[in-house]
Amino acid sequence: MQIEFVAPDSAFAANTAVAALVFADKAMSQAAQDLDRASEGALGRAVAASRFTGAKGQSLEVSAPHGLGIGRVILMGGGPRAEFNAKAAEQIAASAYAAVKASGLEALAIDLAEWPVEVAAQAGLGVRLAAYRFDRYRTTEKPDKKPSVTKVQLVVSDPDKATDAYDPLSTLSDAVYFARDLISEPANILYPEEFARRVKRLEALGLEVEILGEKEMAALGMGSLLGVGQGSIRESQLAVIQWKGAADPAAQPLAFVGKGVCFDTGGISIKPADGMEDMKWDMGGAAAVAGLMHALAGRKAKVNVVGILGLVENMPGGNAQRPGDIVTSMSGKTIEVINTDAEGRLVLADALWYCQQRFQPKFMVDLATLTGAIIIALGHDYAGLFSNNDDLSDKLLAASKASGEGLWRLPIPASYEKQIESMAADIKNVGGRPGGSITAALFLQHFVNGLPWAHLDIAGTAWKKPSSDATIPDGATGFGVQLLDRFVADHYEA
Ligand code: BES
Ligand code: MN
Ligand code: ZN
């Protein structure tokens, strides 16, 4: 997909769709008025003959209007003009692309010449995100099902300035693509070692990547993480990614930790067959952290950041851990494994402990597809936020608002600790159905050693099928990359 910024006087080929804004109460943008005049009023008549009012999210397509010599006009509802902004442009541009991507037309031009170049640049990001496609394994797809639009032209007042404004957003979208690719890969291809190899390749961007295998983790005492992976023939891995962008490479880093369960069968507490294939994306937290590191390196962020990924496969088998097993975590705390399907927290327990011991970061933020309960609580548009620190929470919530990736804070009351008390060990790995996402967060809190910490339960947001957001084609969302890039940029860079 080629995205370019062009000047207002550009001519468009016959195989092009041209999109122009119409604001609330049918207020045509300059671009829409120009098209209407050139088509001798065809657009105005089309609007009059429909229910299109210019409300946000509406669109009206007019095929081959007389006098224009182009394939199609798309009138995009922009809502009230005074409320139109970059975020709205991102959504609208993504919707316009989605509407024509498989139409047979080859190009889409979106006229934003009336708006600041930053608005057009954000529209470019919307298109790029909407154009994501995971088609590596499709060898027989019918040509008429494939996207036909290969070029998107954004009409702007100053193409050079707009290109400069788009540049960092293009870099950010590369990172989102990287995360989406990891999430989309099936588990026979992307197992822990393969995930680690792909992360290792990020060294080309200037990141430092270390991979710990089972031997190294055993020496560190990571009995909790290793217990999850022991039923799999695939070796568990811990990836440690460092970005040293601060003036002082030894300055205290920020830390992000991801759950990377490359496939979650549930283990001996095996999941039902129906929908189990979805558990290939149980590494969405690790993918988001890897994507964030990609984004930070891509824009040479002036800050030190550590990313830790706990990579395992949760399988049943002769050597799998059993319900009732007691494992000793790196922290020394013993854990009774009541349900082998509550494995994410076991992986994170050691990853979090290792992270704070080795790096003493300013804070730790973990991302994990941790509980089905968070989907019941919040659905697919908000991830759960749990934290022991109000300041950290507020900053994450602000970045959520700015990025459009939803977060909603939930409590972690000490009174619920009772639910994860074990009869035989220091703690147990499940707390029953009431507040299932909360007791999972409380469990994690035992392994943060008092550091400022936030946990994002992204079980509902890592994947959408079907998607309700044009910037997210059905499937992997890459949730967390944009949110955390924004969070780091707004608060921690010199
Ligand atoms: N990976 C799942 C959580 C999940 C469920 C993510 C559905 C996305 C969609 C996690 O490992 C899990 O199995 N959690 C259990 C915990 C329970 C056994 C306490 C769950 O949520 O049912
Ligand atoms: Mn599980
Ligand atoms: Zn899981």
Side-chain angles (χ1 to χ4, degrees):
M1 155 64 60
Q2 185 195 342
I3 295 178
E4 58 185 40
F5 295 88
V6 301
D9 46 16
S10 308
F12 299 111
N15 60 12
T16 304
V18 176
L21 282 160
V22 176
F23 296 99
D25 303 321
K26 305 186 184 179
M28 284 195 183
S29 63
Q30 190 59 54
Q33 289 176 42
D34 292 347
L35 290 164
D36 188 44
R37 197 167 314 115
S39 66
E40 291 167 13
L43 302 184
R45 288 192 297 278
V47 170
S50 76
R51 286 184 162 176
F52 179 86
T53 62
K56 203 169 162 186
Q58 282 186 337
S59 69
L60 181 67
E61 297 186 28
V62 185
S63 285
H66 172 76
L68 291 182
I70 55 174
R72 197 177 296 194
V73 170
I74 310 174
L75 298 178
M76 308 175 294
R81 185 183 258 273
E83 288 167 25
F84 189 74
N85 58 19
K87 232 26 212 167
E90 179 184 340
Q91 285 297 328
I92 284 169
S95 303
Y97 171 78
V100 293
K101 69 176 176 188
S103 62
L105 295 168
E106 285 163 31
L108 167 66
I110 304 175
D111 198 317
L112 291 165
E114 283 181 72
W115 298 90
V117 290
E118 289 72 25
V119 170
Q122 194 81 19
L125 175 68
V127 170
R128 179 93 204 287
L129 293 175
Y132 176 78
R133 205 162 185 262
F134 187 74
D135 55 7
R136 194 166 292 166
Y137 303 106
R138 311 191 71 138
T139 67
T140 60
E141 193 175 29
K142 300 246 170 14
D144 66 348
K145 293 273 193 280
K146 290 193 177 146
S148 56
V149 171
T150 56
K151 184 164 77 173
V152 174
Q153 297 171 307
L154 291 143
V155 182
V156 293
S157 56
D158 186 334
D160 289 339
K161 272 206 187 118
T163 305
D164 287 348
Y166 175 62
D167 221 42
L169 300 178
S170 169
T171 304
L172 176 61
S173 62
D174 288 343
V176 175
Y177 270 47
F178 179 70
R180 287 180 180 177
D181 277 346
L182 289 169
I183 296 168
S184 302
E185 286 285 10
N188 61 324
I189 305 290
L190 195 88
Y191 47 90
E193 284 171 306
E194 174 60 15
F195 196 135
R197 278 193 285 274
R198 293 193 187 189
V199 168
K200 189 82 183 161
R201 284 189 220 140
L202 295 181
E203 286 185 333
L205 296 175
L207 291 158
E208 293 170 27
V209 179
E210 291 160 64
I211 307 297
L212 280 62
E214 291 185 351
K215 222 172 121 208
E216 289 93 341
M217 288 191 275
L220 288 162
M222 294 192 175
S224 182
L225 184 154
L226 290 169
V228 175
Q230 76 185 30
S232 169
I233 59 162
R234 303 296 191 183
E235 185 178 338
S236 300
Q237 310 271 286
L238 191 83
V240 181
I241 316 170
Q242 293 187 70
W243 170 249
K244 293 177 183 159
D248 174 5
Q252 191 182 29
L254 322 178
F256 298 89
V257 179
K259 168 181 172 180
V261 176
C262 294
F263 196 81
D264 180 13
T265 63
I268 296 299
S269 313
I270 198 160
K271 290 181 181 292
D274 210 32
M276 202 204 275
E277 70 279 7
D278 289 350
M279 287 299 118
K280 73 173 184 178
W281 48 266
D282 207 18
M283 29 58 69
V289 172
L292 170 67
M293 300 308 289
H294 189 303
L296 296 173
R299 63 180 179 79
K300 306 229 176 313
K302 291 187 173 50
V303 58
N304 294 342
V305 180
V306 179
I308 308 250
L309 320 180
L311 305 170
V312 303
E313 184 178 55
N314 188 22
M315 296 288 276
N319 194 43
Q321 77 181 341
R322 293 148 290 257
D325 281 5
I326 296 178
V327 296
T328 302
S329 66
M330 185 183 173
S331 73
K333 261 190 199 169
T334 56
I335 304 164
E336 186 183 11
V337 180
I338 298 293
N339 188 323
T340 63
D341 196 13
E343 85 298 338
R345 64 198 76 181
L346 297 172
V347 171
L348 289 172
D350 280 339
L352 287 164
W353 189 263
Y354 173 84
C355 180
Q356 56 82 27
Q357 284 285 298
R358 173 162 171 199
F359 294 104
Q360 284 108 40
K362 280 203 181 88
F363 58 75
M364 298 191 286
V365 175
D366 77 71
L367 288 90
T369 49
L370 204 64
T371 65
I374 203 69
I375 308 175
I376 305 303
L378 299 178
H380 294 283
D381 291 343
Y382 285 84
L385 161 65
F386 303 82
S387 180
N388 62 2
N389 187 287
D390 290 344
D391 178 57
L392 181 59
S393 283
D394 289 345
K395 286 176 171 147
L396 286 163
L397 289 167
S400 163
K401 278 233 168 68
S403 68
E405 293 190 317
L407 278 187
W408 193 261
R409 191 174 181 186
L410 291 164
I412 39 173
S415 53
Y416 292 15
E417 289 278 2
K418 285 193 287 301
Q419 290 177 232
I420 52 172
E421 278 172 14
S422 161
M423 281 173 59
D426 297 334
I427 189 172
K428 64 180 179 183
N429 78 329
V430 292
R433 280 167 65 78
S437 305
I438 294 175
T439 52
L442 282 170
F443 179 95
L444 298 179
Q445 194 176 24
H446 282 264
F447 302 92
V448 304
N449 210 10
L451 237 59
W453 152 82
H455 157 58
L456 312 187
D457 192 336
I458 62 168
T461 57
W463 184 272
K464 296 203 195 213
K465 75 175 190 194
S467 170
S468 51
D469 181 335
T471 66
I472 304 171
D474 287 358
T477 63
F479 181 96
V481 176
Q482 296 178 79
L483 165 75
L484 296 176
D485 181 65
R486 186 70 187 238
F487 164 72
V488 172
D490 285 352
H491 300 290
Y492 301 101
E493 290 184 51

